Amino acid sequence: MPEEESVAEATPQQDVKFEYPGNFDPLDDELLLKIHDLSISEHFENNHLDTLRDLTFRWSTKLDSPIMRLRWPPDLFIPGEADYKNYWVTPPPHDHVFQRDWTNPAGSPNTANNGTGQIFAYDSPASYQSRTTTSSTIAIEYTPTAAVSQVIVRGEGNVLGQAHQDFSKATRRTGLCHGRYFGTLFLLGWMVDSLSDQWERLPQVGRVNVFYYESWSADENSLQQYPVSFTKDQLSARFLVERGKKYVFGVSAQVSVEADVREFSGTAPYTRSAGEDLKLWCNLGGALTQMTVDTTFVSIP
């Protein structure tokens, strides 16, 4: 069984669905009524005639729902530059779009964009006898309203993982040529101190293992590809949260390469010669299309 990749510490640098039908029309009263089973005929099928007070109360309580008020669903977070019409019928408030993005290490080829939801992580070790890890993260900010509650955070999107090992164009013969490649999506949470801006990573972790690839051949020359669509039921984690504290929840694309390539003598790590076209890398990229935060229970209101 291939081992699972452990999550790397990826705290950002200091400088750092509701899904409606495609034919939904917010002015279509009949459809709105059907969604909540509020058929007008339902009232007249009753065997008695409601008083005006009863009728008013009955309808007003049912009308007090997001679909009838057309407010943005409180659990839904989307990329800041996304077309909100693909998600709902009114624009989201600012605190319901992706707020943060970062890469680890900073200055790497990795990218993360909270406006578009695009994310990309790339790893290619400089040494041929090492293990390296990089990541890119997009995150939301969340402030609980209950004193103590549990929330479930989910992520949804599409990614493509790639891994490539090719020493066929080495200028001299190699000895052992072993590479292991990992591509993983993590759903992570942090509690942020509002005064010191110190981040404490929460222990709960959600994960989707996108790929694990292992090669022992110096002559192998094939690009491995792993397209994955992950749903919010696949990438999720539960967190205990408290009122008065700020939380950051994010989806991190993490890739790792473990290389053990040696000289033909079998002892020293292989060293690249000038002009050698050697490939030893993997990447994981795609789009985080939405995140949701649902309260599962309230311990202390």
Side-chain angles (χ1 to χ4, degrees), residues 113 178 221:
N113 189 318
H178 180 213
N221 179 18

Side-chain angles (χ1 to χ4, degrees), residues 174-188:
T174 63
L176 174 69
C177 189
H178 180 213
R180 299 203 301 167
Y181 306 82
F182 303 83
T184 310
L185 292 168
F186 292 101
L187 197 152
L188 306 171

